Amino acid sequence: MDQANPFETPKTFTLHRAEYLVGFAVTTGLLIAHIGEIRWIPAVALFLYIDLIGYIPGAIAFKRSGGKPISKVYYVLYNVMHSLITQAAVAALWCWLIGPEWALLVLPFHLFGDRGLFGNFMKSFALPFEPVRQSGYLRLLDDLGIAHPKPAGHAHDPEPVGHVVKLPQPAARAREEALR
């Protein structure tokens, strides 16, 4: 679900990331092989727009929230912008309107790098926007007899704050009754 709580064993998470590292290596090789043919202004713009729309607003909101839940809009923006499907559609539209070009390689380069190098996958509404180790994941590792990996991205682990609102008991029961 994120690099702090992959809900995979650390080994399978490493293998999952390794698959994206292969894509990252291929796109890096192609970028280097065609370095003289790349229009760098569009390449930099294509690389940056993914995070300018999909990551930075959510990261700012998370930092400002002090660890409290933030709007799900930030999660949707992140997931849409960091989707291989979305970026394939952007590349197809670019090819149709402007024409194919090597600058488009920065789209998979960005996504493969995020997943392979940093372990960033889609964001779940049930977890904080930034990775915070969850006790449920740590219990899973304990149950499997696997050592806990080091915390991801924090000097210490802040208190986990998810985005699944737990209803008070009477409200939860009333909702269950209404659904019957």
Side-chain angles (χ1 to χ4, degrees):
M1 308 223 332
D2 63 30
Q3 65 264 40
N5 310 283
F7 288 92
E8 299 179 87
T9 65
K11 293 284 187 221
T12 56
F13 186 59
T14 299
L15 292 171
H16 194 181
R17 289 176 64 181
E19 291 182 345
Y20 286 99
L21 284 174
V22 171
F24 181 73
V26 169
T27 55
T28 300
L30 288 168
L31 285 167
I32 291 168
H34 297 281
I35 199 161
E37 302 169 65
I38 297 171
R39 292 190 313 136
W40 286 102
I41 291 175
V44 169
L46 286 166
F47 183 88
L48 292 177
Y49 100 100
I50 294 170
D51 283 341
L52 287 173
I53 296 170
Y55 172 69
I56 293 173
I60 292 169
F62 178 79
K63 181 121 174 107
R64 286 184 178 165
S65 78
K68 291 183 175 49
I70 62 173
S71 172
K72 292 179 182 177
V73 169
Y74 297 113
Y75 291 75
V76 172
L77 285 172
Y78 182 92
N79 291 341
V80 167
M81 294 307 296
H82 287 83
S83 166
L84 288 165
I85 297 167
T86 300
Q87 298 313 320
V90 167
L93 186 62
W94 187 286
C95 288
W96 182 53
L97 296 173
I98 298 169
E101 62 177 299
W102 291 109
L104 292 170
L105 277 174
V106 300
L107 297 173
F109 175 83
H110 182 129
L111 299 181
F112 293 158
D114 273 358
R115 292 177 182 157
L117 295 173
F118 305 116
N120 295 330
F121 291 85
M122 297 296 184
K123 295 195 179 288
S124 167
F125 292 153
L127 294 174
F129 189 81
E130 293 289 355
V132 176
R133 296 198 311 182
Q134 301 292 304
S135 58
Y137 176 64
L138 298 177
R139 281 194 309 273
L140 170 68
L141 294 179
D142 289 342
D143 289 349
L144 296 172
I146 297 171
H148 296 184
K150 67 179 176 92
H154 301 286
H156 66 343
D157 277 340
E159 190 63 31
V161 177
H163 291 267
V164 176
V165 178
K166 293 186 178 171
L167 298 173
Q169 282 304 94
R173 268 185 251 143
R175 190 178 78 168
E176 285 176 17
E177 291 292 323
L179 292 175
R180 288 185 195 159

